[in-house]
Amino acid sequence: MKTLLSLLTFGLFATAAVAAEPDTRLFEMRVYYAAEGKLDALNARFRDHTLKLFAKHGMTSLGYFVPVKNIENKLVYFLAYPDRAARDASWKAFQADPDWKAAQKASEANGKLITKVEAAFLTATDYSALAAPKAYGQGVFELRTYTTEAGRLDNLNARFREHTLKLFEKHGMTNVTYWNLAADQKGAKSPLVAGNTLIYLLTHKSADAAKASFDAFRADPAWIAAKEASEKKAGGSLTIKDGVKSEFLAPTDYSPVK
């Protein structure tokens, strides 16, 4: 957690309605850690060169974000491809492109822009909306990552499918998209483990609004009942201890989804 640019002026994710047809694309979440003082230069390279070259080589850009509290100088972005073979071919062609090599060389005249890269391959859940032209116009996005106990990802997906998405909407949160980690993570440089990970995006009017929404959601009797029933069926908590991570993100000025 097929996903991410052709619609530059609109934003790319659909509404919370579950897609009528399965989204069979491969998605990739990439996290770049910029060198000290180099984040602006990294964003400039994406804005001026990288997105166009990604599109040239068949990659679909979805969203490009920086954390609201960006203490690690991160850029987080999402791409989509027809499948893994197409992904590998696109990256090979991109990295060999003379225009990319020239842009990279020029941008790094005073030093490398990136100190570390993390990447994960994702597949859309069956309850996630298909990507579609949409401008959210919300204040912040929230990236949430859940790590389940072994064998309980299906239980977690069932709870989201049958209860959580509707309750999020009820309490003022906007569902964006939902992914599981793809089984094939070869070469992905991911700290995540396939088979027990759910990754998703929400939008909120603000971080304060997100807190109010989640407070109301957690106190909702319908949520309490769904949580208790799902854990009873699974034989315990669906997520590991400290297995829920949240990060607020702001879209970059060049991001297709806003």
Side-chain angles (χ1 to χ4, degrees):
M1 107 264 9
K2 269 188 153 205
T3 300
L4 295 145
L5 169 35
S6 48
L7 302 163
L8 287 169
T9 58
F10 289 96
L12 207 50
F13 298 103
T15 62
V18 175
E21 297 295 331
D23 190 344
T24 58
R25 294 173 293 175
L26 176 74
F27 302 90
E28 187 173 7
M29 178 175 70
R30 297 178 66 84
V31 182
Y32 288 5
Y33 295 79
E36 188 68 29
K38 299 290 188 180
L39 184 58
D40 287 347
L42 180 61
N43 279 319
R45 190 168 74 187
F46 270 86
R47 182 188 305 111
D48 299 336
H49 303 285
T50 310
L51 265 70
K52 290 178 286 190
L53 290 167
F54 279 173
K56 173 182 175 181
H57 294 291
M59 299 183 238
T60 301
S61 293
L62 290 181
Y64 292 79
F65 306 92
V66 293
V68 172
K69 296 181 179 179
N70 200 2
I71 59 175
E72 295 181 286
N73 296 317
K74 291 197 301 188
L75 172 68
V76 182
Y77 70 97
F78 301 88
L79 298 169
Y81 320 91
D83 52 37
R84 180 60 189 269
R87 181 267 177 201
D88 291 348
S90 290
W91 273 96
K92 184 177 180 180
F94 165 76
Q95 290 167 338
D97 192 313
D99 289 339
W100 163 244
K101 291 182 178 181
Q104 183 182 37
K105 183 178 180 180
S107 67
E108 295 180 347
N110 295 315
K112 294 283 188 181
L113 303 188
I114 300 166
T115 62
K116 184 172 70 170
V117 174
E118 293 176 347
F121 297 126
L122 312 171
T123 55
T125 67
D126 61 4
Y127 53 85
S128 181
L130 286 167
K134 181 166 178 66
Y136 286 95
Q138 296 273 38
V140 295
F141 287 78
E142 185 180 7
L143 177 66
R144 295 178 66 85
T145 304
Y146 289 16
T147 303
T148 71
E149 294 284 358
R152 292 181 182 174
L153 182 60
D154 286 348
N155 301 87
L156 182 64
N157 279 323
R159 191 168 73 191
F160 270 83
R161 182 188 307 112
E162 296 164 14
H163 305 285
T164 310
L165 267 70
K166 291 177 286 189
L167 290 168
F168 279 174
E169 292 285 355
K170 174 183 176 181
H171 293 290
M173 295 179 261
T174 301
N175 295 296
V176 178
T177 194
Y178 288 79
W179 295 293
N180 291 143
L181 212 60
D184 179 10
Q185 294 294 309
K186 184 179 179 181
K189 302 178 183 177
S190 174
L192 304 173
V193 179
N196 67 348
T197 304
L198 172 68
I199 297 171
Y200 66 97
L201 281 166
L202 301 171
T203 63
H204 311 277
K205 292 181 179 178
S206 66
D208 287 343
K211 182 182 184 305
S213 291
F214 266 107
D215 286 347
F217 163 78
R218 293 184 182 111
D220 191 318
W223 162 244
I224 294 171
K227 182 175 184 291
E228 289 178 351
S230 65
E231 291 179 349
K232 181 177 180 181
K233 182 177 181 179
S237 174
L238 304 191
T239 56
I240 64 172
K241 183 180 179 181
D242 300 322
V244 177
K245 306 298 183 185
S246 168
E247 187 170 41
F248 289 111
L249 304 175
T252 65
D253 61 277
Y254 55 85
S255 177
V257 64
K258 299 207 183 280

